[in-house]
Structures are given as structure tokens and as C-alpha cells.
Amino acid sequence: GVFLDDVSVVCNGSTPPPPPPPNQCVMDIVSDATNQVVGAGFATSTYSQNPRWTASIPGATWIWKTFFVADPLVDDTTSFTKTFTIISTSTVDSASLVVAPENSYTVFINDQKIGADNTEINYFDENKDSYNVLPHLQNGSNKISFTVKNWALATSTPEFNPAGLLYKLSISTHDSICNPVATNTPPTITLIGADPFNLIV
């Protein structure tokens, strides 16, 4: 008998074309005021005009539980949680997390500790931390959560000692039926009734 291994079949003098590459999807999970849970409520964009805050992550917004820290003279530890879904038919190719909170923090993916920084000055751009979180993701429901501490600063003000968290989790997947979610797509508005329609406010 003859056994063939790793042999390309030639048809009409050419090899078969390679299969088309799977569709690529990129999903960004960022710090913002959208479904970012803080205790029994939701996070809000926070005061970020302190000139010492040089950290910048495109697409992400500085958040906290209030616009100004409640009391800059005492330590304030706050937890943030955001859930997201990776469709079951997707294969995750890479997943990277960039973090820049105001002071010390711990970060978890699906309740597994990913990293922490116990130092005070994490709001400089050069002090941002990066993590490979690929091994900690799963198909289906996922959760990213942070515990962030704003350190007390004597004789300070909310503007001089603000509190905040800045992060971005970028996940790259491929799937034969991948349909990335469109963003910033203008809506279609249909007027029902009189045209023009006047509303006095």
C-alpha cells in the first residue's frame, strides 16, 4: 500500500486555495458611566482637571462614585464591577488590560486576581500598568472588577486630591459569523403624524 502524509493534491496544475481567514472582532471594555456598577449604584465621570493627572487611555474616562471625592482628608476605598459577554462561538486571540487609577488598586477578572499596585502615584502616564488577561477570560459571561483606594491627603481639597479609575480592556476574537457592534451610527428617525410637528416647551 501507499501512504501519503502532508502531500498537497494538485488539480489541473495548481494547489487548492487556502481557506479565507476568519472574521476579526475587537471589543473594548472601558471605564465610563455605562453599566459600571459601584455598590448599589453606577459610576460617574469624575473631576479630572488636576494637572498631575497625565494618564491617558483613548476611549476611557476617569470614573468614581461621585464627581468629587466625598472627603479628601480620609482614605476612601471603592469597588467597581462591569460585566460583558464573549459569544460562545468566538475564539479569543488576545486580551490586554491597561490600568491607571489615581492611587493603589487591585484588579480581578472573573474573581481571579490579575494584578495590583500598592503605590500612591499611578495617575502619571508613564506609571500605567498593562496585563495579559487572555488566560482568565471565558466564552459567555465575564466580569472585570477593581478595588481602588484614594489616599487621604492632609489639608487638601477635592480638586487637589481627586479620586478616579481609568482603564481599558481590549479583546480580539475571531469567528466565522462575527458581526462587530457598530458605534456612533446615526439613528433613523421616522415622524408619525403631522409634518411639521410643533412642540412648545
Side-chain angles (χ1 to χ4, degrees), residues 117-129:
D117 191 326
N118 295 319
T119 60
E120 177 185 6
I121 303 174
N122 290 310
Y123 45 77
F124 292 152
D125 203 59
E126 60 269 25
N127 287 1
K128 291 184 296 190
D129 294 323

Side-chain angles (χ1 to χ4, degrees), residues 95-111:
S96 60
L97 172 67
V98 181
V99 184
E102 202 266 337
N103 293 145
S104 53
Y105 72 92
T106 305
V107 57
F108 306 84
I109 297 285
N110 295 325
D111 298 320

Side-chain angles (χ1 to χ4, degrees), residues 27-84:
M27 176 169 53
D28 289 332
I29 312 299
V30 297
S31 54
D32 59 17
T34 304
N35 299 325
Q36 182 76 61
V37 177
V38 181
F42 295 94
T44 184
S45 299
T46 190
Y47 177 80
S48 59
Q49 303 306 309
N50 189 307
R52 295 178 299 164
W53 281 15
T54 61
S56 176
I57 301 175
T61 304
W62 285 98
I63 58 171
W64 196 248
K65 57 186 175 182
T66 52
F67 182 72
F68 283 121
V69 62
D71 188 345
L73 307 180
V74 299
D75 290 345
D76 187 356
T77 300
T78 300
S79 296
F80 300 86
T81 300
K82 199 166 201 175
T83 57
F84 57 95

Side-chain angles (χ1 to χ4, degrees), residues 175-192:
D175 190 298
S176 60
I177 57 171
C178 175
N179 293 304
V181 176
T183 58
N184 298 325
T185 302
T188 300
I189 301 175
T190 302
L191 180 62
I192 300 175

